[in-house]
Amino acid sequence: MSLSTADRKVGRFAAAFGAIDYDSPDYELLRSVADTLVPFGAHIGTSITEISPDRAVVEIPKAPHVVNHMGTVHAGALFTAADIAGAAAVAGAAATGLHLIDSLVVRGATASYRKPASGHIRAIATVDERELRAILGATSNQRFELTGKVTVLNDEDTTVAKFTFDYVCDVVVTDGQG
């Protein structure tokens, strides 16, 4: 079921962002809203610091509660930051057509932990542009696959992990009552 706003059907995923001007998206507003959408991220202390059409950045502060018994940032914290960054990257990349997105669900993910992570962490995410164009060009309600890639860096800009997320994205163009 989609919501109707200004003669546009608005999917459930998009509705979480509130009143967005799809013709001229305010990326700072998207970032601010997205930063509050995943309460689990608050346990770790994640912060979405950037959403743009090209990428999203999520940071984990240097803090004792995110490290494991060996003093490095816990793999679960890295995964959470990457997961949040991936979804934020979708929101930014799809901003002008965000209203189409009814659901975005992770179907699968791969993780490659490269080096022990320590200090302040940044997860930088992008989405596959070709797959995104298909989503934004949808003319009927349908399901798409979308790939997100995330690189996780430490204070020295060294890659400590890489993630790939495989999403299932349902779009809503009509409410099925016409």
Side-chain angles (χ1 to χ4, degrees):
M1 177 84 161
S2 62
L3 308 169
S4 183
T5 303
D7 297 327
R8 283 191 171 130
K9 300 303 173 200
V10 178
R12 294 170 296 159
F13 179 84
F17 290 90
I20 299 296
D21 179 353
Y22 301 110
D23 297 320
S24 181
D26 179 343
Y27 290 94
E28 175 54 27
L29 176 61
L30 276 175
R31 186 209 61 76
S32 176
V33 172
D35 204 30
T36 67
L37 292 180
V38 184
F40 184 71
H43 292 293
I44 297 164
T46 61
S47 175
I48 300 173
T49 58
E50 178 185 336
I51 292 181
S52 74
D54 301 317
R55 71 184 200 165
V57 179
V58 171
E59 298 183 8
I60 303 173
K62 180 179 180 177
H65 71 279
V66 298
V67 298
N68 58 29
H69 65 288
M70 296 183 343
T72 60
V73 178
H74 193 280
L78 297 175
F79 188 94
T80 298
D83 179 36
I84 293 170
V90 172
T96 59
L98 190 61
H99 61 282
L100 295 170
I101 300 179
D102 191 45
S103 67
L104 180 73
V105 178
V106 174
R107 173 184 290 173
T110 59
S112 173
Y113 297 96
R114 306 287 178 95
K115 294 183 181 247
S118 61
H120 180 258
I121 301 296
R122 288 179 300 126
I124 302 171
T126 60
V127 296
D128 185 289
E129 293 177 25
R130 183 179 42 89
E131 294 169 346
L132 183 68
R133 278 195 303 273
I135 291 167
L136 297 180
T139 57
S140 63
N141 298 355
Q142 59 190 105
R143 176 167 285 173
F144 292 88
E145 294 181 356
L146 180 62
T147 304
K149 295 195 180 282
V150 184
T151 300
V152 181
L153 306 165
N154 66 10
D155 280 332
E156 291 80 37
D157 285 332
T158 300
T159 299
V160 296
K162 287 190 173 190
F163 297 86
T164 301
F165 290 94
D166 297 316
Y167 299 103
V168 174
C169 179
D170 289 326
V171 300
V172 58
V173 176
T174 64
D175 62 9
Q177 300 176 358

